[in-house]
Amino acid sequence: MKAAGFNATSIYFHWGFHSPQRGVYDFTGLRDVDRLLDIAEEVGIYVLARPGPYINAETDSGGLPVWLINSPARDRSNDPDYIAAVDKWLDHINPIIARHQLTDGTGTVILYQNENEFGDQSPGGVAYMTHLQQRARADGITVPTFHNTAGTWPAWVPGTPGAPDLYSFDLYPQGFNCSSPQTWSPLPDLAPVREHSRNGPMFTAEFQGGSFDYWGGNGREKCRELTGPAFQRVFYEHNIASGVTAQNFYMTYGGTNWGWIAAPGQTYTSYDYGAAISEERQLTDKYAVQKELGYFLQAVTPITKTEAAPDVPASDAAVTVKSLRNPDNGTRFLIARHTDATSTATTSFTVPIGDDPAVPITLPGHDSKLLVADYDLERQRLAYSTSEIMTHLRLGNRDIAVLQGRKGTEGRTVLRYSSEPKVTVLSGGARSTWDAEHGLLRLDYAHDGLVELRISGGGRPDLLLLLGDDARFDRLWTQSTDAGQVLVLGPALVRTARAERGVLHLTGDTDATTATRVWAPTGTRRVVWNDRPTIPVVDRTGALAFRLRGPAEVTLPELAGWRRSEPDPSSAPGFDDSRWTIANKTTTTNPNQPAIGQPVLHADEYGYHHGDIWYRGHFTAEGTEKTISLSAVTGTAGAWSVWLNGSFLGTVDNGGASGSFTVPADRLRTG
C-alpha cells in the first residue's frame, strides 16, 4: 500500500479475535496489536483505528465475542450488562491505540472510530454512542474520532448528541451483485454531504473498492471486474470533483478468513473482495489505478486545498467537465466524464482552457480524466495538459514529469517559457509548436508506448518528460530517500529505497528478468537491489539502466507416501463418548426455546461456538421405524449430516433447518 502512494490504512480490531472466552484477552503472537502498529510506523503509513465494538457484517457476530451470545443483554445498546462487557474490551484495546497516536508525537494513529454503521438514534442509541466517545477520551484517545454512517444521510453529525468529532459516510454505488459486472449504477450525488460536514473534511470512511462474493456466487474475479479500473477512475475522481478530501477504499486488501472469523451468510473462507491486491497478495490492474491516483495526490499538492468553480463548457453535452481551483495559487483541476457516467460511447470534444478556446480531448466510455492547468510543476509552468499527471520530481538541475492517458488517445501538453526552448525527442514521436506571442510550447503526441522528451533552455531548468499510455507506467515507482526522490521503471514492485554515500539501495520484487531504469538523486553512482549489486549504465535520459534477474524456478516435491485414517470415528456405535459434554440445560436466554420437556441443544450454551460440532443422541427403538426427522440450525451456509448406528443417512446443506431420512433395513432392532 505504501508503494502505491497510500498515506493511510484502515484497520479493524476484532473483539472476538482477542477474547475467545469471557474474561480472557489475548494480544500475543498473531494478535499483537502493538507490533502491528509498530509496523505501520516503520513503513510510514498512518492508521485509522477501528475497534468497534461492532465492526462489520462480514465477520462472525460482527466482531463481537461469541460468548456474548449467551448473555441476555441487548448488543449494541446502552444495556448495562452489554456496556460492562464493552468496557472490558476498551480497557484492553484503547490503551494500546493511545500509545500509538500521532498526537503524542511518535505514533501513526490519526483517527479513531466509534462503532460501525450504527443506525439507532433513539435515546438508548445516543446514550451508547455517548458512552463510547467518553470512554475514548477517558482512555487517552486524543486524535479526532469519527463514525461511518451507512450512506449519506445526516446521522451522527458533529455537534449533535452522541456524535464524534468528524462526520463520515460509507458508499457502495455498484452494490454487491457481481453477476453483471458491465452494468453500472449512476454516480452518487454528494452535494448534500457538505451540509453534514461544514467544519470538517468530506470523508468517505468506506468507499467501494470491491465486493464480497456470496457462497455459490459468481466468483471474486467478477467482483474485481465490477469495480475495476474504469469504475475506480470514474467514481474516485467524481469524489474528488465533489469535494471529498479523504477517501478510504474498502477493500484494498481483504485476504483470507482464518479461524472461523467469516460470517458465512455473506462470505466464505476467501475475503479477496475483488480488491486491488488479491487474496494471494498479487497486484492487480486495480492496484495500478490506485497507484496512479496515489502518486498524483502526493505530487500535485495544490489539490489539498480547492474550491468548487463553475463547470467548464464542453462542445458536446454528452460530456460534463467539473472544475476546482486552489485559491492560493490558482491551480485548476478539470474532471471530465460522460454526463451519463454509465455511457460506453467514445466521445471527442473540445473545452476552453486558458488562452486556447478549443482544446481537443477524447474520452472513452466508462472513463474519466483528472486534468491540471495553471500549475507550477516543479520549476516549470504548466499551462495545461490533456494527459493526466502521474508524478513529478526534481533531481538536481533538472525536473522530471510523468504524464499518461488511455492507450490510443491523443495528448497535448502546453508549457510556458520566456523564450523558445529546445525540444529533443529521445524516443517515440511528438510534434512541438512554439507560440512566441504567448510564450507557449505546445506538444502533441499519442498515448501509445513511451515518448521521452528533453526540453532545455527557455529560461527554466531542463525538463525530462515521460509520456505514455497507462500500461506503460504500471511498473513505475517513486520512493523518497534522505538524498531526494527516486523514480524506478521496470520491476513488479519497489518496496523501499535508501541512499547512502552515492549508493542507492532498493528492495522489491521481480516476476521475470526485467530491464530496469532508475532516475536517482545527483551523485548516485551505484544501485544495489535486494542486497545484490547491479552493473548500471547511463542511458539517453540520464537514468541508470540495468537488468534484474527474475525469480528462481519453483520445483514442487513429489507428493508420495500417503497415509489414511478412518473417517468420522465419532459415528461408530461403539465410540466412547463418556467424556463428552452432556446437553442437560433446561433454560436459555436464547429466544429460540426448546420444545417443552426437551433439553437446550444450542452449542453456544455449552461453550462450543465455532467449527464442526458433533451431537450423539440415543433412543429406544421399536424396530419398525422407517424414517427419522430432524431439525438443526447451522447458519445460512452451514450443513449437517446424520449417521444412525454407524450408517450414513444423508446431509442437509445450505443451512437447511429440517430433513427426513430413511432408516436402512436391519439397522434398528427392538429395544
Side-chain angles (χ1 to χ4, degrees):
M1 291 178 69
K2 177 69 173 180
F6 282 88
N7 59 6
T9 184
S10 164
I11 303 176
Y12 283 128
F13 298 106
H14 191 294
W15 181 5
F17 185 58
H18 293 278
S19 183
Q21 298 176 13
R22 185 184 290 273
V24 174
Y25 283 89
D26 184 0
F27 289 88
T28 64
L30 187 66
R31 295 166 171 80
D32 190 340
V33 175
D34 262 316
R35 177 63 183 133
L36 175 63
L37 295 176
D38 283 342
I39 292 171
E41 187 172 348
E42 292 165 11
V43 169
I45 198 164
Y46 295 122
V47 172
L48 282 61
R50 308 174 73 180
Y54 176 92
I55 58 173
N56 75 22
E58 292 102 278
T59 192
D60 187 50
S61 295
L64 303 178
V66 288
W67 46 261
L68 273 179
I69 291 172
N70 296 332
S71 169
R74 180 172 175 238
D75 295 342
R76 307 180 75 188
S77 76
N78 65 334
D79 184 304
D81 290 337
Y82 175 68
I83 292 294
V86 166
D87 282 348
K88 292 294 185 183
W89 162 239
L90 298 179
D91 285 343
H92 287 83
I93 190 65
N94 277 352
I96 299 175
I97 296 173
R99 286 198 293 272
H100 293 269
Q101 295 178 103
L102 183 67
T103 42
D104 291 343
T106 58
T108 189
V109 173
I110 57 170
L111 293 175
Y112 176 101
Q113 179 173 303
N114 294 335
E115 251 283 346
N116 184 85
E117 294 186 344
F118 185 66
D120 179 7
Q121 292 189 281
S122 68
V126 169
Y128 172 46
M129 289 290 283
T130 300
H131 179 79
L132 295 179
Q133 176 75 2
Q134 291 174 343
R135 269 305 307 259
R137 293 297 182 232
D139 292 339
I141 301 299
T142 52
V143 296
T145 58
F146 71 99
H147 176 79
N148 54 327
T149 301
T152 58
W153 50 84
W156 310 114
V157 172
T160 62
D165 299 320
L166 300 179
Y167 174 85
S168 67
F169 60 97
D170 296 352
L171 210 53
Y172 292 83
Q174 288 287 70
F176 302 101
N177 184 348
C178 302
S179 61
S180 300
Q182 293 304 314
T183 302
W184 276 31
S185 299
L187 289 170
D189 179 11
L190 300 182
V193 179
R194 181 77 278 173
E195 299 301 313
H196 316 331
S197 186
R198 286 195 169 275
N199 298 314
M202 282 186 68
F203 174 17
T204 60
E206 292 179 23
F207 195 86
Q208 187 156 20
S211 175
F212 47 71
D213 187 35
Y214 295 93
W215 282 90
N218 299 282
R220 61 196 191 188
E221 289 308 315
K222 289 287 187 182
C223 296
R224 208 177 323 275
E225 185 180 352
L226 176 74
T227 56
F231 165 83
Q232 292 174 294
R233 289 192 179 101
V234 172
F235 283 77
Y236 298 172
E237 291 178 8
H238 169 70
N239 289 348
I240 292 174
S242 300
V244 170
T245 54
Q247 293 196 68
N248 179 36
F249 305 130
Y250 194 106
M251 304 281 293
T252 293
Y253 177 66
T256 306
N257 282 306
W258 299 110
W260 309 100
I261 287 178
Q266 292 177 285
T267 53
Y268 42 95
T269 304
S270 170
Y271 199 49
D272 179 275
Y273 212 77
I277 303 174
S278 74
E279 179 180 13
E280 300 84 8
R281 301 178 178 86
Q282 300 303 298
L283 308 184
T284 71
D285 55 359
K286 292 179 61 173
Y287 177 90
V289 176
Q290 289 193 343
K291 183 173 67 171
E292 293 169 11
L293 184 59
Y295 283 8
F296 171 87
L297 294 173
Q298 284 191 353
V300 187
T301 55
I303 192 70
T304 61
K305 183 180 181 181
T306 60
E307 298 173 344
D311 290 358
V312 179
S315 62
D316 191 327
V319 173
T320 295
V321 182
K322 309 299 289 185
S323 179
L324 302 171
R325 181 180 178 276
N326 184 294
D328 296 335
N329 55 33
T331 302
R332 298 175 62 204
F333 300 93
L334 309 180
I335 300 91
R337 59 166 174 80
H338 286 92
T339 304
D340 174 8
T342 67
S343 173
T344 59
T346 296
T347 305
S348 296
F349 60 99
T350 63
V351 292
I353 305 179
D355 299 326
D356 195 332
V359 177
I361 300 175
T362 297
L363 187 66
H366 282 183
D367 197 13
S368 173
K369 286 181 176 290
L370 176 51
L371 308 180
V372 182
D374 302 327
Y375 174 51
D376 288 328
L377 187 155
E378 299 299 337
R379 291 162 291 186
Q380 316 297 319
R381 181 64 177 176
L382 177 69
Y384 69 84
S385 179
T386 64
S387 300
E388 294 175 281
I389 298 173
M390 184 172 185
T391 191
H392 56 76
L393 61 153
R394 182 182 304 189
L395 291 181
N397 59 0
R398 68 169 176 165
D399 300 330
I400 300 177
V402 182
L403 280 69
Q404 63 184 23
R406 256 39 95 222
K407 187 175 179 62
T409 61
E410 296 297 314
R412 176 181 293 179
T413 296
V414 179
L415 297 157
R416 293 190 181 276
Y417 291 92
S418 58
S419 59
E420 183 176 3
K422 178 182 178 181
V423 179
T424 304
V425 179
L426 304 175
S427 70
R431 303 180 307 278
S432 63
T433 305
W434 172 246
D435 178 354
E437 180 181 357
H438 298 95
L440 297 174
L441 174 68
R442 193 179 91 185
L443 304 166
D444 293 285
Y445 47 88
H447 298 115
D448 191 1
L450 179 61
V451 178
E452 300 170 319
L453 305 176
R454 179 189 297 124
I455 305 173
S456 54
R460 297 187 184 278
D462 285 1
L463 171 65
L464 174 64
L465 266 181
L466 304 178
L467 310 165
D469 57 84
D470 305 310
R472 177 60 58 176
F473 298 126
D474 284 354
R475 297 193 172 202
L476 181 128
W477 309 92
T478 71
Q479 291 283 340
S480 296
T481 73
D482 292 341
Q485 283 185 279
V486 176
L487 199 63
V488 183
L489 182 61
L493 176 64
V494 176
R495 297 175 179 271
T496 65
R498 175 174 55 87
E500 187 177 64
R501 294 193 294 272
V503 180
L504 179 64
H505 297 264
L506 300 174
T507 67
D509 302 349
T510 59
D511 53 7
T513 299
T514 303
T516 300
R517 305 166 74 187
V518 176
W519 291 271
T522 302
T524 302
R525 301 181 304 277
R526 294 191 298 123
V527 179
V528 175
W529 175 262
N530 291 341
D531 296 327
R532 292 174 178 267
T534 65
I535 305 176
V537 296
V538 179
D539 73 3
R540 60 188 177 274
T541 68
L544 299 173
F546 48 90
R547 297 184 72 80
L548 294 175
R549 290 188 298 180
E553 183 178 351
V554 175
T555 302
L556 295 177
E558 179 185 0
L559 300 179
W562 290 91
R563 293 180 296 169
R564 182 175 66 87
S565 63
E566 292 298 325
D568 306 320
S570 301
S571 66
F575 180 82
D576 182 7
D577 61 11
S578 60
R579 297 173 64 186
W580 281 26
T581 301
I582 305 299
N584 55 9
K585 292 189 176 183
T586 57
T587 61
T588 177
T589 59
N590 193 307
N592 296 302
Q593 296 290 322
I596 296 175
Q598 297 297 314
V600 175
L601 297 182
H602 306 313
D604 292 287
E605 290 283 357
Y606 301 95
Y608 302 97
H609 304 295
H610 296 114
D612 299 324
I613 310 294
W614 277 95
Y615 290 85
R616 286 173 64 85
H618 305 267
F619 66 96
T620 301
E622 296 179 0
T624 58
E625 291 85 355
K626 301 297 184 183
T627 61
I628 293 179
S629 296
L630 296 170
S631 63
V633 178
T634 62
T636 53
W640 50 281
S641 300
V642 181
W643 286 259
L644 175 63
N645 287 349
S647 291
F648 177 65
L649 300 188
T651 293
V652 176
D653 56 18
N654 295 323
S658 62
S660 183
F661 306 91
T662 300
V663 175
D666 303 324
R667 184 50 52 179
L668 291 176
R669 297 191 305 275
T670 302

